[in-house]
Structures are given as structure tokens and as C-alpha cells.
Amino acid sequence: MENKTISNPQTEVNIQTLRTLNRCSQCVHKKELSVIKDSSLTASQFEVLEVLYDLGDLRICDIIEKILATGGNMTVVIENLAKDGLVRQCADPQDKRVKLIRITDKGKTLMDTLIPRYLDNIDSIFKELTESEKRLLRELLIKLTGNL
């Protein structure tokens, strides 16, 4: 579809590329979230559990940094996970004033079953691309991101 308000062909290609990238991102994100939603978690809850599952006990500020989130709703996310018995607060052995967030056995059990399904889902998202295409896509996305 040609845009009549844009006379520069390069700008037209840029707009088409941006739309395609946005559409792709939305589709990939929707597919990625399908497994998470099936487990009754939000994306933020999954990210918190995933980082705790992989790295162990963390302060809230460290969780925020690891998952590249803003602090605005992180307290609510963690409180909801705690209500469901998936995480709990504990004191930092080095500094009793600091509270750490710890994944519970119930949280670990959930992640033990969810992570393999999540990884299979990620594999299915990229199954149409060869290994070299995946590397090229990653390089191009890094190049584009570094340019912003």
C-alpha cells in the first residue's frame, strides 16, 4: 500500500519495515505468552519466578534490574506471587535490614513443569528460521537497537 503523503521512497520502505517489525513483535509476544497464560501467571509474574528460579534469592531492586522492568508495579507482582505461595520474603543473611525474595517449593514445582513447555514454545516460534537466519536476525535487531 503506497502512502500518498510520503514522497521519499526510502521513508516508505522504512514505514513498511516498521509496520512489519511491529506486527511480528506482537505475534511473537502473543505466542510466547500463550504458555504463561495457561499457567495462570502474568508475564511479569513469570519473569520474576524465572529470575528467582535461575539465580536464587534477590532483592526487589535486583529483580527489577534483571528483568528490565520498572519498579512501579513490582511490589504488587511480588505480593500477588506471595499470596499464591510461589515466593516469600526472607532476611538477607549479610544484612538483616534487607529483604530478599525467595521462590518457594511450590514456585519451584510450577517452574519445573512450566520452563520446559515455555522453551518448547520458544523453539516453535523460531522453527521456520535456519540457525544462520536466527543469527542474522539477532545481529540486525542489535544493530537497530544500538542505533536508537
Side-chain angles (χ1 to χ4, degrees):
M1 174 173 81
E2 188 176 325
N3 190 327
K4 296 188 186 340
T5 60
I6 300 170
S7 59
N8 182 340
Q10 184 176 356
T11 301
E12 180 66 29
V13 170
N14 290 343
I15 288 172
Q16 291 171 358
T17 303
L18 181 64
R19 287 179 181 153
T20 303
L21 180 62
N22 284 336
R23 227 175 280 118
C24 178
S25 177
Q26 289 172 358
C27 288
V28 167
H29 193 62
K30 183 177 180 180
K31 173 81 171 153
E32 175 197 9
L33 291 179
S34 65
V35 170
I36 296 167
K37 285 183 179 180
D38 288 347
S39 68
S40 300
L41 293 174
T42 66
S44 296
Q45 289 172 326
F46 175 78
E47 289 174 330
V48 170
L49 287 174
E50 184 181 33
V51 76
L52 293 172
Y53 184 80
D54 286 342
L55 301 177
D57 303 349
L58 293 171
R59 297 176 300 162
I60 290 178
C61 63
D62 295 328
I63 293 170
I64 291 167
E65 181 183 307
K66 297 290 182 198
I67 65 174
L68 303 175
T70 59
N73 75 334
M74 191 52 59
T75 303
V76 173
V77 169
I78 290 170
E79 285 173 358
N80 287 335
L81 287 169
K83 268 189 230 171
D84 293 337
L86 300 173
V87 300
R88 67 179 181 88
Q89 284 191 10
C90 58
D92 185 338
Q94 270 82 39
D95 185 348
K96 301 291 183 201
R97 297 169 297 170
V98 175
K99 296 289 184 194
L100 296 176
I101 307 303
R102 174 176 292 162
I103 190 169
T104 63
D105 288 341
K106 182 179 178 183
K108 286 178 188 172
T109 300
L110 174 64
M111 294 306 280
D112 285 341
T113 60
L114 186 55
I115 293 277
R117 290 181 32 232
Y118 177 75
L119 295 176
D120 286 345
N121 189 40
I122 298 301
D123 288 344
S124 76
I125 290 171
F126 291 100
K127 72 180 182 222
E128 298 301 320
L129 299 178
T130 65
E131 291 304 312
S132 62
E133 288 172 329
K134 291 175 208 176
R135 280 191 290 277
L136 177 60
L137 176 60
R138 186 172 182 274
E139 289 170 14
L140 292 171
L141 292 171
I142 289 169
K143 183 176 182 178
L144 180 62
T145 302
N147 202 21
L148 300 177

